[in-house]
Amino acid sequence: MLRSTMTGSPSGFDVQLSALIPQRDYSDLNGQDSQLRVWLPDPAKRALEEVCEVHKASMTAYLTEYLASYLFGYHEVLRMRANNAGLYEPPPMRRSCAMSPAPPPPEPDLGKNIFALKIWVPDKIKNGLQLAADRAGITLGEFSRALICAHLFGREYGPSRLMEGTSLNATVAKSWENEH
């Protein structure tokens, strides 16, 4: 069950999952406080749309769960779901003002076969991805793009293979992905 259907609903698990590793702190995973910007090639965008349609989930919900699985492990994500914790902990009640949302900014025109993905993820996920990107010596956008493309198409279709033939200006893309 993905984020778009998980909060406020039963876990759907009849099986109790064991705590097989030392307890981690999964607090603060139920918010969407950080913006993650990633340039994706058109085949990855289309594949994400199809996968999300199959799972009946938004791109944000699907990718948040996938990235949490990458950082913490799939078993731990299933434990979070079963225990209504972490990603699946109900958000605190908030009072809000009924204002119309601001229109989304226009997507930069950087060439064909490029999709500007902007999702909101928990700070803890973004920070974990940033640490992994730093260890790999690449930007957060490059690291996230590699994860998403490998997840969708396998390692054989890493980002360099999908990016061939596009007219993306790498400097402009890195600048946009790193904007806060």
Side-chain angles (χ1 to χ4, degrees):
M1 196 174 309
L2 297 170
R3 181 181 253 344
S4 61
T5 60
M6 68 184 149
T7 54
S9 65
S11 67
F13 279 20
D14 294 330
V15 176
Q16 188 68 295
L17 295 171
S18 302
L20 302 172
I21 60 173
Q23 182 65 35
R24 291 180 182 150
D25 178 16
Y26 295 130
S27 60
D28 299 327
L29 281 177
N30 64 337
Q32 296 175 332
D33 4 60
S34 289
Q35 188 180 86
L36 180 63
R37 293 175 170 219
V38 182
W39 281 106
L40 292 177
D42 188 59
K45 173 198 176 238
R46 292 189 357 233
L48 262 178
E49 290 170 342
E50 292 173 4
V51 167
C52 291
E53 186 176 327
V54 167
H55 286 282
K56 296 179 179 23
S58 69
M59 280 188 198
T60 296
Y62 182 80
L63 288 173
T64 298
E65 189 170 83
Y66 165 68
L67 295 171
S69 295
Y70 172 80
L71 290 173
F72 306 115
Y74 188 63
H75 184 267
E76 290 298 287
V77 169
L78 291 177
R79 282 189 61 231
M80 286 182 223
R81 186 185 307 161
N83 297 322
N84 291 321
L87 283 175
Y88 304 93
E89 183 178 332
M93 295 287 286
R94 294 185 204 175
R95 294 179 187 232
S96 63
C97 180
M99 294 173 39
S100 60
E107 288 186 15
D109 182 19
L110 296 177
K112 63 181 182 174
N113 297 330
I114 299 299
F115 172 65
L117 173 69
K118 182 170 49 174
I119 62 173
W120 291 89
V121 298
D123 279 332
K124 193 173 274 192
I125 289 179
K126 185 174 180 181
N127 293 338
L129 292 172
Q130 184 66 63
L131 286 172
D134 291 346
R135 282 193 301 269
I138 58 177
T139 68
L140 176 60
E142 290 169 317
F143 186 79
S144 300
R145 180 173 39 258
L147 280 179
I148 293 166
C149 290
H151 173 67
L152 293 170
F153 303 116
R155 297 181 73 101
E156 178 183 347
Y157 288 92
S160 60
R161 180 154 183 190
L162 285 175
M163 295 299 286
E164 289 173 8
T166 64
S167 57
L168 171 66
N169 180 328
T171 305
V172 174
K174 284 181 186 179
S175 172
W176 182 81
E177 289 174 344
N178 290 325
E179 273 181 23
H180 294 294

